Amino acid sequence: MPPIRDKFTIHSKAVVCQDVELKGDITIGSGTIVHPKATIFAIAGPIVIGAGCIIEESAIIVNRRKEVMRIGDDNLFEIQCRVESPSVGNCNTVSTRARVHHTVRISSYCVIGAGCLVVPAEDEVLDEFTVVYGPEAARRAWSGRGKVQEADLRRKHAEYLRETLPKFNRVRRGDGHG
Amino acid sequence: MAPSIDYHCPCLASSPAPPPPHLPSSSYSFHPLHELFFCEECDAVRCNRCVSVEVSGYYCPNCLFEVPSASVRAEKNRCARNCFMCPNCRNTLSVVPSDPPDMDDGRGSTAALNAVGEPPFFLYCNHCRWDSAEVDITFEKPTGLAAQLQKHEDSAPDSLEFERLKEHFEPFLRASSSSALAGPTPASHSHHAHVNPITAAASSALARDIPGVAKYAPHPRGRRDKGPRDEMSEYRSRVEVGGTSAMGEADVDFMRRIEEESEVAAVEQRWANSWATSLRTSDLKPLRIPLHSKKSKRCPTCRHILIKPEQKAQSVRFKIKLVAANYLPSMTVALPRPLDIVRRGARPPADDPSGTPGLHAGSTYPFQIALTNPLYDPIQVRLSVQRQIPPAVSAAAAAAATEGGATEKSRRPPFAVSLPSSAFPIAAFAEAWEYEDDEDMFGVDGDEFGLESRDGRETQGKAKSKTVGVLEKRANVTIVGGEVVIGKDARGEVKFNMLVSYTYRSDDALPEDEVRGTPSRTSKAPEMKTFSFSTAVNLGPVVPREENRMDTD
């Protein structure tokens, strides 16, 4: 395997803290927030993160595949979660200590509950509005009622972090858009 | 399992002597210290099995509203405000407004949403994202939800049936309460009286003809309660159930057609419901949260309150708290690992080569008991191994720990326990510890403390090492060492009863207790008082003798 070449493209409006472990070819979109101690690890293929995502402390995002790992907009990756899915849509929530294997593709508006393991042996795509919850990682479909309010809350959350985080953390500037 | 000490509560026993600890039934008389209470009036330990419990208040665990006991029954023991449980995952539901209608999707809209939100409101589970709109429950305003849901609940056939039953029994209940008032004592009336209209009503309901069930044959005693039963009219249910009901067939039909298991509500999901509910997941309704209660406990003999929580639901304090941990020295037992013993200058007679914990048959093990004094005065403690037969055997407690009871007196336990036989002091409890290190106290000579099984020690031939006696004193903790010699063919667990008696300076004029734990009042008012209690010490299971080597050194 060739050595991993680092290439970070961070949008000027994104907030990526200094104390973040980045490896490989990573693109971070506008307004996305990466908390300190998060890890984004593009082992094989590059990782492209969209706009307005929040990646919290100790979250780990790994791309083990050759193709590009695309993460959409307005996703929330909570503390200590680990995501290896080759693609993530928009407005998903991966809760604290949840773990999503590289066999799962996440569409949009999905919620992976706290501590849930989503590790199917075969490739699968989570339908939109799938909720994985509880100790058995039970699944159900969310009706989608309240998604506008949730998106609004996510936006406010990101807005607040954009203001607050740089006050207390060194922020990394990408070499892309400067 | 880690070695443990449980305290004996004599409430269930006819004799004050504790039951032999190796019997499974004796586990009911031994309790961890933190579960026990102490009655100052009776000067005795009380446990949860002997105290009388009364409810001192009801509250909702979610909104912490204190529900007056008068309305608890009317509200059917559930919160009548805005607290609901998710029928799917049992999380607490929250009330949320609907999404604004004119937005295609939330993205790109910069206008802040209305803080109040717009109706209809619905209940929403943050955990599994179930919402009450799925079962067509929505609200016009976000307050008083239980009242808004009341009609749903009251119209349930089971609820109506229950109301009807209550109505039916109302006259009998009223008659019973009035007769109870007229009678000599209500307490004596309620139990065995066949004339009690409630029992009569119940038995007549049971005697009713049920299709498909054999006729209930009244037992001969039934003659006596003939009178009140005749007074009662027969109860007719609203809906005739039993036999071939349409409901059961519908369920069978539904079960035949299911495509996914998630269509069927799990037992846990229907369990919390008051009424029988349908099998479908789609029929699950939000549940009002069951109320919790705060309880106060009284001593069974003197009726004094032992523990009483503060009225406020938010508070976790107690107004009265007479727990045994504030009166009895707390004890922990430990089997030191070889390393600890080496540091103490003693060597275990049989080092386990593999280093695995456990007691091997045919070996001798030291163990340590740490006693902590909760009192503000120093105490003198005396430990003795308790046998089942005569209680005052402190001098001869060398060999046996327990015996299997009166019938098997000859059978000795396969191990012998040695404890320091003389009394030792434990310093007083103080809030702030500013004590000088008593180095000389630390290294008390073993000769000062007579050994209960001297011959057992001498055969081991390690007189220089000290395992039995006071090992350490610091603050209000004293650690004493004991020794257990396990027989060659021992198996099971090393459990023995230990009598602990401690002497303290009494402030009040209570009499001196005899060493048996149940005090008797005398007119003397001595300075020092002795209290005794029994404990069951469990040192853990014996590893049966197979691979472990003989203890010959």
Side-chain angles (χ1 to χ4, degrees):
Chain A
M1 203 170 107
I4 300 162
R5 273 200 312 128
D6 287 352
K7 176 171 173 282
F8 311 136
T9 314
I10 300 172
H11 193 275
S12 59
K13 281 194 179 145
V15 176
V16 180
C17 293
Q18 194 73 61
D19 194 7
V20 166
E21 204 172 317
L22 302 178
K23 274 226 169 75
D25 184 351
I26 296 162
T27 309
I28 294 175
S30 151
T32 286
I33 286 142
V34 185
H35 283 249
K37 298 285 180 197
T39 305
I40 303 172
F41 206 179
I43 303 178
I47 296 179
V48 178
I49 300 173
C53 292
I54 301 170
I55 299 164
E56 292 188 349
E57 290 91 343
S58 309
I60 302 171
I61 295 173
V62 181
N63 185 11
R64 292 187 187 277
R65 299 194 177 191
K66 276 279 187 306
E67 64 261 38
V68 183
M69 173 182 185
R70 277 187 201 282
I71 295 176
D73 301 341
D74 298 316
N75 295 298
L76 172 61
F77 300 96
E78 290 185 357
I79 294 167
Q80 277 202 9
C81 69
R82 185 183 178 108
V83 179
E84 301 183 1
S85 345
S87 85
V88 177
N90 304 325
C91 298
N92 297 292
T93 303
V94 182
S95 305
T96 307
R97 297 195 79 138
R99 204 169 154 180
V100 186
H101 221 227
H102 64 87
T103 46
V104 187
R105 286 169 192 270
I106 301 176
S107 57
S108 292
Y109 299 102
C110 292
V111 180
I112 316 292
C116 287
L117 291 176
V118 189
V119 286
E122 284 167 28
D123 278 18
E124 101 169 274
V125 180
L126 287 189
D127 289 335
E128 288 199 356
F129 299 108
T130 301
V131 181
V132 182
Y133 66 96
E136 269 102 58
R139 291 187 190 186
R140 55 177 272 116
W142 175 31
S143 65
R145 276 178 281 263
K147 72 172 188 218
V148 178
Q149 292 165 85
E150 189 176 309
D152 185 59
L153 184 69
R154 181 76 43 84
R155 215 190 56 233
K156 283 179 187 157
H157 182 180
E159 221 163 78
Y160 176 80
L161 288 173
R162 264 196 296 282
E163 278 174 28
T164 323
L165 266 189
K167 289 183 189 163
F168 304 99
N169 290 280
R170 287 177 189 279
V171 174
R172 193 190 283 244
R173 291 283 156 219
D175 35 41
H177 304 272
Chain B
M1 207 184 76
S4 63
I5 296 191
D6 283 338
Y7 291 61
H8 178 236
C9 174
C11 61
L12 293 167
S14 45
S15 74
H22 57 82
L23 298 181
S25 61
S26 71
S27 66
Y28 295 106
S29 347
F30 291 104
H31 313 268
L33 179 63
H34 63 87
E35 283 179 8
L36 291 173
F37 304 101
F38 191 88
C39 181
E40 280 195 329
E41 296 296 316
C42 310
D43 206 24
V45 174
R46 301 288 178 225
C47 69
N48 271 321
R49 293 169 62 82
C50 60
V51 292
S52 57
V53 181
E54 44 198 64
V55 171
S56 68
Y58 296 90
Y59 66 97
C60 167
N62 188 44
C63 63
L64 296 180
F65 181 86
E66 285 146 51
V67 184
S69 42
S71 49
V72 167
R73 195 191 286 190
E75 291 165 4
K76 298 203 177 79
N77 297 332
R78 289 172 186 261
C79 180
R81 276 142 298 277
N82 287 337
C83 305
F84 292 91
M85 228 159 50
C86 174
N88 190 47
C89 68
R90 242 109 335 109
N91 190 22
T92 313
L93 295 172
S94 45
V95 195
V96 293
S98 299
D99 277 342
D102 52 357
M103 256 180 237
D104 33 294
D105 66 344
R107 302 208 42 235
S109 67
T110 43
L113 293 178
N114 187 358
V116 183
E118 21 202 301
F121 296 89
F122 54 90
L123 292 164
Y124 172 76
C125 174
N126 272 311
H127 185 55
C128 68
R129 306 232 165 178
W130 180 91
D131 64 60
S132 66
E134 286 178 24
V135 291
D136 293 324
I137 296 176
T138 52
F139 307 93
E140 289 313 305
K141 53 182 169 52
T143 49
L145 302 186
Q148 292 185 54
L149 268 183
Q150 197 67 42
K151 52 184 187 295
H152 281 286
E153 206 175 297
D154 286 350
S155 61
D158 313 71
S159 167
L160 291 174
E161 188 74 55
F162 181 69
E163 289 301 321
R164 201 178 144 95
L165 258 177
K166 271 204 319 204
E167 232 167 74
H168 177 75
F169 286 118
E170 192 71 50
F172 302 108
L173 285 171
R174 220 179 295 125
S176 92
S177 62
S178 57
S179 69
L181 282 175
T185 50
S188 69
H189 196 257
S190 61
H191 278 292
H192 314 285
H194 300 294
V195 284
N196 187 338
I198 307 173
T199 47
S203 63
S204 116
L206 283 173
R208 187 169 71 94
D209 259 335
I210 300 162
V213 177
K215 181 87 177 81
Y216 166 70
H219 48 84
R221 219 174 46 180
R223 299 224 178 281
R224 274 194 279 170
D225 47 343
K226 200 164 191 255
R229 192 194 285 178
D230 285 347
E231 288 165 27
M232 213 164 7
S233 62
E234 198 182 317
Y235 175 72
R236 295 207 178 279
S237 56
R238 267 180 73 253
V239 205
E240 204 51 57
V241 284
T244 53
S245 83
M247 229 164 104
E249 271 184 8
D251 278 348
V252 172
D253 203 41
F254 163 68
M255 290 300 269
R256 280 208 186 104
R257 283 157 206 264
I258 48 170
E259 286 174 0
E260 281 177 61
E261 58 164 343
S262 59
E263 283 176 45
V264 187
V267 173
E268 296 91 69
Q269 293 173 339
R270 294 182 286 138
W271 197 250
N273 217 314
S274 304
W275 312 115
T277 48
S278 90
L279 283 171
R280 291 152 215 254
T281 316
S282 54
D283 284 347
L284 291 171
K285 298 276 191 295
L287 303 162
R288 292 190 286 140
I289 287 181
L291 300 176
H292 284 198
S293 61
K294 288 197 165 193
K295 297 173 198 81
S296 52
K297 292 172 181 175
R298 285 177 188 275
C299 173
T301 47
C302 68
R303 310 290 301 154
H304 276 84
I305 292 178
L306 298 176
I307 194 154
K308 186 183 173 69
E310 275 185 11
Q311 193 63 42
K312 280 169 67 120
Q314 287 94 329
S315 168
V316 291
R317 287 181 225 270
F318 294 92
K319 270 187 195 155
I320 300 169
K321 190 168 97 175
L322 301 173
V323 292
N326 291 342
Y327 295 87
L328 307 183
S330 77
M331 295 188 285
T332 52
V333 63
L335 285 162
R337 287 173 299 132
L339 185 71
D340 299 342
I341 302 159
V342 168
R343 216 186 41 211
R344 286 191 192 286
R347 210 177 61 80
D351 273 322
D352 189 3
S354 60
T356 49
L359 302 162
H360 290 263
S363 308
T364 306
Y365 290 90
F367 62 91
Q368 298 173 357
I369 301 175
L371 297 102
T372 310
N373 180 10
L375 304 173
Y376 290 100
D377 292 307
I379 55 173
Q380 289 280 330
V381 180
R382 186 187 287 271
L383 303 177
S384 57
V385 174
Q386 230 175 350
R387 288 199 279 183
Q388 282 311 295
I389 18 168
V393 281
S394 55
T402 52
E403 279 188 274
T407 50
E408 31 181 329
K409 263 176 198 163
S410 54
R411 219 198 78 196
R412 305 202 141 226
F415 55 87
V417 178
S418 329
L419 287 168
S421 60
S422 59
F424 53 90
I426 311 179
F429 170 72
E431 307 287 348
W433 276 104
E434 31 166 49
Y435 62 101
E436 324 87 66
D437 247 356
D438 283 332
E439 275 307 318
D440 48 339
M441 285 299 276
F442 178 82
V444 214
D445 199 356
D447 296 356
E448 206 177 306
F449 298 91
L451 297 169
E452 290 187 14
S453 78
R454 195 167 279 281
D455 53 346
R457 246 172 65 100
E458 273 159 8
T459 50
Q460 306 299 321
K462 45 184 207 65
K464 55 188 180 296
S465 67
K466 191 166 86 76
T467 47
V468 181
V470 176
L471 301 176
E472 192 178 337
K473 276 186 211 170
R474 58 184 152 79
N476 59 337
V477 182
T478 295
I479 297 173
V480 296
E483 204 169 60
V484 58
V485 182
I486 299 169
K488 288 191 170 58
D489 45 359
R491 51 185 64 250
E493 290 195 312
V494 180
K495 270 185 178 176
F496 59 94
N497 283 348
M498 183 172 72
L499 182 75
V500 182
S501 38
Y502 64 98
T503 314
Y504 61 102
R505 199 170 54 80
S506 78
D507 312 325
D508 45 21
L510 273 175
E512 182 170 355
D513 298 326
E514 209 37 64
V515 197
R516 278 279 10 114
T518 40
S520 57
R521 275 177 188 271
T522 58
S523 51
K524 293 185 294 175
E527 266 285 279
M528 302 305 278
K529 256 188 74 178
T530 301
F531 185 81
S532 301
F533 58 94
S534 301
T535 57
V537 183
N538 184 359
L539 291 176
V542 175
V543 178
R545 177 189 169 77
E546 271 145 22
E547 76 282 79
N548 56 335
R549 62 194 165 92
M550 270 280 289
D551 165 37
T552 44
D553 57 333

